[in-house]
Amino acid sequence: MANYDFPALYNNYWTYDNSTPMSAIRNGLAAQLQTVTGLRVPAEIPDNPTPPTALMRPEAITYNNSFSKATGSHTYTWVVLVIVGRASERTAQKSLDEYCDPSSSSSIKAAIEADQTLSGAALDCRVTEMRGYQAIPVGENTYLGAEFVVTVIA
């Protein structure tokens, strides 16, 4: 479970507009991911992605985190799939390791959490998990990739 600063989040409720659309969260995530040098971040999921690329998709929404509809927030779970290259390439694993390492200059976690408001679209966000470090078939190719789970409170 993520360690959220709930008092700080509560204080933000007085000035926060909770009508933020999902596209604003997507745009905020994309803006943060684009700070990673060399990582492609397409606006929509392409049929044939060109690695290295980060693909974003919403996975779940937990509605109404509080009992007040006026100030209630929602918890969005997003998955960012990063694919780096063909699984058979020697450099693919090294590249993916760099994206997974929270202290590297290519860290997906560090890039997203550098602005936890996602350009004002959220109260808070955290990368809570990396999972599925594996070969991923895409069309006729098999790429090496991993998923990053992002929890957004908006």
Side-chain angles (χ1 to χ4, degrees):
M1 176 143 189
N3 294 322
Y4 293 107
D5 183 359
F6 285 105
L9 292 176
Y10 179 78
N11 291 335
N12 287 339
Y13 279 16
W14 300 110
T15 59
Y16 181 70
D17 174 10
N18 68 347
S19 62
T20 301
M22 288 191 41
S23 60
I25 295 171
R26 179 182 283 111
N27 292 340
L29 285 170
Q32 292 309 113
L33 290 165
Q34 287 169 349
T35 66
V36 178
T37 303
L39 185 64
R40 292 174 182 83
V41 186
E44 285 120 22
I45 297 175
D47 291 334
N48 293 309
T50 303
T53 191
L55 308 172
M56 302 164 291
R57 66 175 172 83
E59 184 168 273
I61 304 172
T62 302
Y63 296 110
N64 302 322
N65 290 335
S66 72
F67 292 107
S68 169
K69 290 182 182 176
T71 59
S73 61
H74 310 297
T75 301
Y76 298 80
T77 303
W78 284 76
V79 173
V80 176
L81 172 63
V82 175
I83 41 182
V84 294
R86 293 181 193 243
S88 60
E89 292 176 9
R90 292 178 188 237
T91 59
Q93 185 172 347
K94 185 177 187 302
S95 295
L96 189 55
D97 288 351
E98 289 292 315
Y99 291 124
C100 295
D101 182 349
S103 63
S104 98
S105 61
S106 298
S107 170
I108 297 299
K109 177 178 174 51
I112 291 173
E113 292 181 357
D115 177 6
Q116 293 177 317
T117 70
L118 301 175
S119 302
L123 290 168
D124 193 23
C125 78
R126 301 272 194 255
V127 178
T128 57
E129 179 181 6
M130 184 283 295
R131 65 184 185 199
Y133 188 115
Q134 62 189 351
I136 300 167
V138 178
E140 295 180 13
N141 297 313
T142 301
Y143 296 108
L144 189 61
E147 293 181 331
F148 296 83
V149 179
V150 182
T151 301
V152 179
I153 297 176

